Amino acid sequence: GLILSAPSAATLLLNVPLGRLCDIIGRKPLMWCGTALTAIGTTATGFVGGSLSTLLACRLIVGAGSASSMTGSSAYISDLSDRAPQHRAKIMGVHQAIVGSVWIVGPAVGGWLAENYGYQ
């Protein structure tokens, strides 16, 4: 359970500090760094050897990158909705629906690819 919940725990702990950092350095650098951290953590998770502590560290990196990307993108969407305040709720709702749907579509596409093209 700890390995599966590590990214969520990292997101929970880092959302507020990353929100402050987002205001200081800007939205796009946080989104770029978050995407890079997520990619590095995910790739390292796939190549890590049998050590539980190393796997946990990689999963925490994934969570930190995810938190960074989500914080930056939410702030960016909020900035964009300042131009049309009457549509803010709709814009934020669509953004969150897209972010949430990734958790459903991603595994489905991965399963389809594994079934049709084989898992190596």
Side-chain angles (χ1 to χ4, degrees), residues 1-15 38 41 45 52-68 70 103:
L2 185 60
I3 299 298
L4 293 176
S5 64
S8 297
T11 301
L12 176 70
L13 294 173
L14 292 174
N15 263 343
T38 302
T45 299
L52 185 63
S53 60
T54 308
L55 181 61
L56 181 61
C58 292
R59 296 291 289 161
L60 287 171
I61 291 170
V62 170
S66 177
S68 179
M70 287 189 299
W103 292 100

Side-chain angles (χ1 to χ4, degrees), residues 31-49:
M31 290 189 295
W32 283 107
C33 290
T35 302
L37 268 178
T38 302
I40 290 167
T42 303
T43 303
T45 299
F47 290 110
V48 71

Side-chain angles (χ1 to χ4, degrees), residues 7-114:
S8 297
T11 301
L12 176 70
L13 294 173
L14 292 174
N15 263 343
V16 173
L18 286 172
R20 287 180 187 234
L21 185 63
C22 187
D23 290 337
I24 295 169
I25 68 169
R27 280 78 166 118
K28 287 186 181 179
L30 209 62
M31 290 189 295
W32 283 107
C33 290
T35 302
L37 268 178
T38 302
I40 290 167
T42 303
T43 303
T45 299
F47 290 110
V48 71
S51 170
L52 185 63
S53 60
T54 308
L55 181 61
L56 181 61
C58 292
R59 296 291 289 161
L60 287 171
I61 291 170
V62 170
S66 177
S68 179
S69 294
M70 287 189 299
T71 302
S73 66
S74 294
Y76 191 70
I77 293 294
S78 178
D79 290 346
L80 289 177
S81 66
D82 281 345
R83 297 179 186 160
Q86 67 273 18
H87 298 292
R88 179 182 298 254
K90 187 188 305 183
I91 293 169
M92 295 297 278
V94 169
H95 175 254
Q96 291 302 320
I98 291 170
V99 169
S101 67
V102 169
W103 292 100
I104 297 169
V105 174
V109 169
W112 180 80
L113 288 171

